[in-house]
Amino acid sequence: MDEVWAGLRRDDPVHWHPGTADTPGFWVVTRHADVSAILRDPARFTSEKGNVLATMLHGGDSGAGRMLAVTDGPRHKELRTVLMSAFSPRALAGVAQRVRSTTRRLLEEALERGKVDFAQDIASHIPLATICDLLAVPEADRDYILTLTKSALASDYANQDSGEDRLARGELLLYFHDLTRQRRANPGDDVISLLATRKVGGELLHEDDIVLNCYSLIMGGDETSRLSMIGAVHAMIQRPDQWRALKSGDVTMASAGEEVLRWTTPTMHFGRVATEDVELHGRTIAEGDLVTLWFNAANRDEGVFDDPYRFDLGRSPNKHLTLGYGPHFCLGAHLGRVEITAMLDGLRTFVAEVEQVGDERHIYSNFLSGMSSLPVALTPQRGPTPWEE
Ligand code: HEM
């Protein structure tokens, strides 16, 4: 696939993907400069008609104007300010501490067993637990939520009936309706209570809006970081020099985390709809056209990254677009980074060697990219790791 994306970047950076009898065509934008220019231009490229292909192809997003990611303008700004009060580095300090201790515990348990599925047994427990902590989802419901989020967006199997993902989305929404009603009546200090008690546009948010935003936090906050962590381990297994660089302390946690984000790019695309005709590289994007922005392609742009196909944990600068850009820049960016660096730090501290002991399984999705299974054998670190000496 790399050659396909490289060919598009080079020869056809604003490519028209024709429609079918049932769905419209859409533009495919692959260069870093074009993707970032469109992301920072919400006036001409709106998110309010959906921001992922699955919804854009079917006429738009029912959460438009209500859910943060598909709202533009002043309402977006106001809602984002409310949510940001729970997602800033300062607000997340306690959560970050919990992420580190959960990561450490999961790694210790895995090391006792020796062989584990890194995806199922370790990575899948951290981001969802964290976002569930933020939303104060009761412990007893968490496995159920994990099953639903897994089938709502991506699929472990190529032939999954597409009705199943719709069903899972519906169940998640119903679940959060119940929780929202409880928090309206009896608020705590969690994010649902925050949304239930703060005003946007001079009024309290409608219950449906709260539910949609919870849904988006669960979906945005779970699979993405999880896929990055799994992809990081897989990449280091394949490139032992980078595992050694991590272990030796030759690279900082910050630069390693950013390269993991660039390399894995768990959300391959986001999309916009043009609000007026726009000329780009000799093509006319007409008002109303769907425009998809391919972050995986932009993150390998040879005009921006030296040797872009090299996984280099010390890479600097690293202006990847994995967390987006502009007004919709990822709300959970700090949290995602905390989760990924906690995992890298846990691995370099407690694990001497990681060996792959079975085939990885990739997910099937045109939105998310990564693995749902990665069987590994972990050897414990005895004594201090080189970076501690
Ligand atoms: C927005 C990716 C983690 C919640 C975005 C966007 C990207 C992204 C690319 C921009 C979407 C657009 O422009 O249309 C990622 C990746 C993550 C991650 C790769 C982890 C590696 C998280 C976490 C949360 C979260 C942990 C919350 C718990 C959101 C929300 C938005 C968003 C609510 C919408 C922001 C807005 O529209 O103002 N994310 N995300 N994300 N993300 Fe993340």
Side-chain angles (χ1 to χ4, degrees):
M1 267 314 275
D2 283 347
E3 303 85 61
V4 175
W5 293 113
L8 285 172
R9 262 192 323 265
R10 189 182 56 239
D11 304 324
D12 193 9
V14 184
H15 168 78
W16 178 249
H17 182 96
T20 66
D22 306 318
T23 52
F26 54 89
W27 296 101
V28 173
V29 178
T30 44
R31 284 190 192 161
H32 190 284
D34 299 330
V35 171
S36 25
I38 291 173
L39 287 173
R40 65 168 176 259
D41 190 357
R44 293 196 301 169
F45 295 97
T46 179
S47 298
E48 294 211 338
K49 308 256 185 256
N51 69 345
V52 292
L53 257 178
T55 49
M56 293 164 72
L57 287 177
H58 295 99
D61 196 308
S62 55
R66 303 152 77 192
M67 190 158 83
L68 186 70
V70 286
T71 299
D72 282 327
R75 189 169 175 84
H76 171 259
K77 208 168 165 206
E78 230 186 302
L79 185 55
R80 192 173 161 103
T81 306
V82 170
L83 280 164
M84 205 61 212
S85 66
F87 282 90
S88 68
R90 184 204 285 239
L92 286 172
V95 173
Q97 202 45 51
R98 269 208 305 284
V99 167
R100 285 189 275 272
S101 55
T102 308
T103 306
R104 176 179 287 230
R105 177 178 54 75
L106 286 165
L107 282 172
E108 280 168 354
E109 284 168 13
L111 282 160
E112 271 167 34
R113 288 166 56 192
K115 285 188 185 159
V116 290
D117 186 331
F118 184 82
Q120 310 280 339
D121 300 326
I122 305 177
S124 75
H125 294 281
I126 300 159
L128 189 72
T130 310
I131 190 76
C132 284
D133 280 350
L134 281 165
L135 298 175
V137 171
E139 205 63 54
D141 301 342
R142 295 192 179 191
D143 282 345
Y144 168 68
I145 298 288
L146 178 65
T147 320
L148 291 181
T149 56
K150 265 189 177 166
S151 48
L153 266 192
S155 169
D156 275 2
Y157 302 98
N159 61 354
Q160 188 192 35
D161 169 25
S162 73
E164 213 174 288
D165 52 355
R166 270 199 302 275
L167 204 66
R169 281 199 283 273
E171 278 194 53
L172 269 175
L173 293 176
L174 278 178
Y175 176 82
F176 282 108
H177 261 292
D178 281 348
L179 220 51
T180 299
R181 267 182 223 129
Q182 291 170 26
R183 302 288 155 77
R184 273 269 211 237
N186 193 7
D189 62 357
D190 57 282
V191 172
I192 302 182
S193 300
L194 180 78
L195 287 168
T197 51
R198 292 274 289 271
K199 289 188 175 169
V200 174
E203 286 175 19
L204 285 175
L205 286 172
H206 192 280
E207 190 178 296
D208 292 347
D209 296 19
I210 300 173
V211 168
L212 285 167
N213 281 291
C214 291
Y215 170 79
S216 122
L217 289 174
I218 285 267
M219 301 313 292
D222 176 33
E223 289 228 65
T224 46
S225 316
R226 169 152 47 114
L227 293 171
S228 268
M229 291 179 205
I230 303 163
V233 171
H234 185 253
M236 289 189 291
I237 290 171
Q238 295 204 317
R239 295 166 192 78
D241 64 312
Q242 292 304 298
W243 171 244
R244 281 194 298 276
L246 183 80
K247 292 279 297 171
S248 66
D250 286 351
V251 296
T252 64
M253 279 300 107
S255 84
E258 294 311 296
E259 181 65 346
V260 162
L261 283 167
R262 183 190 77 94
W263 188 255
T264 54
T265 316
T267 50
M268 285 187 285
H269 80 268
F270 272 100
R272 300 291 189 258
V273 172
T275 59
E276 58 182 77
D277 292 0
V278 179
E279 293 287 326
L280 192 57
H281 300 299
R283 312 294 299 258
T284 304
I285 299 174
E287 179 185 344
D289 280 357
L290 314 187
V291 183
T292 55
L293 311 168
W294 293 85
F295 296 5
N296 54 333
N299 278 344
R300 298 289 183 274
D301 191 326
E302 9 330 68
V304 175
F305 302 98
D306 287 339
D307 207 354
Y309 295 97
R310 193 174 124 71
F311 178 61
D312 174 8
L313 292 175
R315 181 180 291 278
S316 172
N318 193 348
K319 289 181 176 304
H320 65 75
L321 292 173
T322 303
L323 297 164
Y325 189 66
H328 289 281
F329 179 72
C330 179
L331 178 83
H334 178 68
L335 185 55
R337 285 177 164 133
V338 162
E339 290 167 344
I340 291 164
T341 51
M343 179 55 71
L344 294 174
D345 195 37
L347 286 167
R348 73 171 179 166
T349 308
F350 300 113
V351 180
E353 292 299 336
V354 190
E355 188 195 342
Q356 189 166 344
V357 292
D359 291 339
E360 69 272 18
R361 191 168 68 232
H362 288 265
I363 56 172
Y364 291 87
S365 167
N366 64 12
F367 173 50
L368 294 172
S369 159
M371 291 154 229
S372 60
S373 175
L374 181 64
V376 294
L378 302 178
T379 315
Q381 175 70 39
R382 310 248 177 246
T385 55
W387 70 271
E388 287 174 315
E389 284 168 349

